[in-house]
Amino acid sequence: MDKTIQTAAEAVAQIPDGATVMIGGFGGSGAPVELIHALIDQGARHLTVVNNNAGNGHVGLAALIEQGRVDRLICSFPRSADPSVFVEAYKAGRIALEIVPQGTLAERIRAGGAGIPAFYTPTAYGTEVAEGKPVEIFEGRAYVQERWLKADVALIKGELGDSHGNLTYRMAARNFNPVMAMAATTTIAQVSRLVPLGGIDPEHVITPGIFVNRLVEIANPAQEEELNRAEAVYP
Amino acid sequence: MIDISQIKLSNAQIAWRAAQDIEDGAYVNLGIGFPEMVAQFQPEGKQAIFHTENGVLDFGKAPEPGNEDWDLINAGKKAITLKPGTSFFHHADSFAMVRGGHLDVAILGAYQIAQNGDLANWSTGKGGIPAVGGAMDLVQSARRIAVVTDHVTKKGDPKLVESCTMPLTGVGCVTRIYTSLAVVDVAEGRFVLREKIPAIPMDDLQSLTGAQLHTDGAVNDLVCPAELA
């Protein structure tokens, strides 16, 4: 078994128009910038994207939105230092937005990966975000029913990876990446370094390879924050 | 009406006061922006462990400019640093810590707080693009939900109200409010005044508050370090 792919372009080549794509990262930390840029080059349209945010500046997710590829965004916090690309698309009616509280977003994704169709959470009870959702009382307290969230594809970023798809992450760049890896039919990881089997201590594997379909080595990956400080624009 | 601009507490003083109530060993989440300031004023001998919902527990201060590592940020997307004892975890675990009741205190900002503890702090409801982040998770879950805020809005309208007119973040969740004029608890559906700054007369404080302020025992003087003014 060898899940490694030589280039980001090959890794994302099969993503079809209309796909639901989870993109890891919290802001720029853990964002798979090279995979997103490869998806822009590939040209898939009418995507539904799941991400915590809505892009920053003119690279990564913001660039994907700026290129008109995203019809719908599911996120918790569509603000950033420079959210102008999303704001413009949203105000022009070119992109639909579903706001999900951050913990509910993480748990819906986890549930999708774990085969749990719905769960109850105290989050958002009594707020407009919970309107229309079933409510149940457990031990005297009200909880809102939320449903799983699954995707056709997850684009994630790891630190070390091996040919079986075992992954580690780097510091707070872990964020949504491990849960998104579980929730997609096809999970594509970019890693900063490919290592031989055995090169990751089994005690240190965060995402076991069963959740990863393809991985590509991107050494010295771009950081969205640094690209934005350099006022980079993609493409 | 008294001019409160000369007597009200600074944000640093409000944050200092909120920090005095954090117990040794408490796990604490601080909201983005003003509430983050609370971390600067931990009392001697009381060590709190700070949680940031993007997936870090027990982190260090901001690095020197130029030394940022953008894989190591807090929920406000500002660079932080490692310290002995830091741990990382993914988002589902991070919010298990929140929802599972493992946090002792969450401290947030507010647009409005109602006397029953309802909190509005995520949307003014006037259009614009909604953005909630982790606030709705945090307010339903930590054992103590505290708010740090000016007592009134920039226009002078009360932030402590009978019922919120803005979209709610959570219902019946706030337990204590640290304002620029007072410390107020929410207890059994009413505001209970615990402390007020000595310079404001009781009548004026009440007139700047949108719901009845009750008392339950002594109202103490709210005195903060003058150097933080």
Side-chain angles (χ1 to χ4, degrees):
Chain A
M1 185 198 293
D2 185 355
K3 298 180 180 177
T4 59
I5 303 280
Q6 289 307 307
T7 66
E10 291 169 82
V12 303
Q14 308 300 319
I15 300 174
D17 286 358
T20 295
V21 182
M22 289 179 178
I23 300 179
F26 177 86
S29 157
V33 173
E34 286 77 6
L35 288 179
I36 301 169
H37 289 172
L39 180 58
I40 291 172
D41 298 343
Q42 187 257 31
R45 309 182 69 83
H46 303 301
L47 302 172
T48 292
V49 167
V50 182
N51 181 265
N52 187 62
N53 303 100
N56 187 10
H58 300 270
V59 295
L61 175 56
L64 189 68
I65 294 169
E66 193 160 35
Q67 294 298 311
R69 309 296 173 74
V70 184
D71 286 2
R72 183 160 174 262
L73 181 69
I74 301 173
C75 81
S76 87
F77 200 75
R79 290 189 195 145
S80 63
D82 175 12
S84 57
V85 166
F86 172 78
V87 169
E88 200 173 298
Y90 180 79
K91 288 191 169 161
R94 292 195 302 269
I95 189 164
L97 174 66
E98 179 183 345
I99 285 287
V100 182
Q102 199 172 331
T104 298
L105 182 63
E107 192 64 14
R108 287 179 65 194
I109 296 166
R110 198 199 71 82
I116 309 285
F119 59 91
Y120 285 88
T121 176
T123 302
Y125 171 71
T127 75
E128 62 187 50
V129 171
E131 274 170 21
K133 292 176 181 169
V135 169
E136 281 233 32
I137 308 292
F138 297 93
E139 298 183 6
R141 192 169 173 203
Y143 294 80
V144 179
Q145 189 193 86
E146 292 284 354
R147 299 206 168 194
W148 59 7
L149 193 53
K150 296 184 282 187
D152 301 303
V153 179
L155 303 181
I156 65 168
K157 181 184 188 181
E159 175 67 3
L160 303 182
D162 66 26
S163 63
H164 284 188
N166 295 309
L167 302 179
T168 70
Y169 299 91
R170 187 166 178 275
M171 299 198 282
R174 188 180 304 188
N175 55 63
F176 280 91
N177 286 298
V179 284
M180 288 182 170
M182 298 164 63
T185 307
T186 302
T187 291
I188 304 168
Q190 67 170 72
V191 296
S192 301
R193 193 151 65 89
L194 267 174
V195 296
L197 284 179
I200 304 174
D201 183 334
E203 297 279 13
H204 297 167
V205 171
I206 304 298
T207 292
I210 190 169
F211 297 123
V212 176
N213 300 90
R214 296 176 214 150
L215 70 168
V216 57
E217 183 182 59
I218 307 285
N220 305 312
Q223 279 285 6
E224 188 182 275
E225 184 72 31
E226 283 163 8
L227 293 175
N228 282 331
R229 283 171 183 233
E231 298 182 11
V233 176
Y234 195 86
Chain B
M1 173 67 68
I2 191 166
D3 175 10
I4 59 170
S5 64
Q6 299 305 310
I7 59 170
K8 69 174 192 168
L9 300 179
S10 67
N11 279 359
Q13 288 175 313
I14 299 170
W16 176 88
R17 178 62 192 86
Q20 306 312 303
D21 287 342
I22 298 176
E23 313 80 20
D24 186 38
Y27 287 89
V28 181
N29 184 290
L30 301 176
I32 295 172
F34 170 25
E36 288 177 63
M37 203 186 272
V38 173
Q40 298 170 22
F41 301 114
Q42 283 191 84
E44 193 90 8
K46 288 188 186 176
Q47 186 188 16
I49 306 263
F50 292 99
H51 167 269
T52 187
E53 58 268 32
N54 56 309
V56 192
L57 259 180
D58 207 10
F59 48 92
K61 291 179 175 149
E64 294 294 319
N67 288 339
E68 297 94 346
D69 181 329
W70 296 109
D71 281 342
L72 185 55
I73 60 173
N74 65 14
K77 304 195 176 77
K78 295 195 193 81
I80 53 174
T81 50
L82 298 174
K83 64 187 255 195
T86 299
S87 59
F88 299 121
F89 35 88
H90 63 62
H91 249 76
D93 279 354
S94 183
F95 282 91
M97 294 174 193
V98 174
R99 263 187 261 97
H102 306 284
L103 289 180
D104 296 292
V105 191
I107 302 180
L108 303 96
Y111 295 138
Q112 291 179 321
I113 312 104
Q115 59 188 351
N116 68 347
D118 287 0
L119 173 68
N121 83 343
W122 74 287
S123 164
T124 56
K126 290 178 191 152
I129 296 174
V132 65
M136 286 191 184
D137 303 278
L138 283 160
V139 300
Q140 284 303 329
S141 306
R143 267 180 275 165
R144 209 155 69 70
I145 304 293
V147 163
V148 288
T149 180
D150 256 316
H151 201 85
V152 296
T153 67
K154 288 198 175 75
K155 285 186 185 165
D157 296 327
K159 286 190 160 203
L160 280 65
V161 295
E162 287 188 348
S163 62
C164 295
T165 54
M166 292 179 188
L168 294 184
T169 308
V171 296
C173 53
V174 175
T175 56
R176 175 163 273 200
I177 309 154
Y178 303 93
T179 81
S180 47
L181 303 176
V183 176
V184 177
D185 281 343
V186 175
E188 290 157 9
R190 52 187 209 157
F191 289 132
V192 178
L193 180 63
R194 299 296 183 193
E195 300 174 14
K196 70 173 188 62
I197 59 170
I200 190 155
M202 189 61 208
D203 289 354
D204 287 323
L205 183 63
Q206 180 61 67
S207 68
L208 293 165
T209 307
Q212 181 67 41
L213 284 172
H214 297 266
T215 55
D216 177 11
V219 175
N220 294 314
D221 284 346
L222 171 54
V223 180
C224 299
E227 66 270 22
L228 299 177

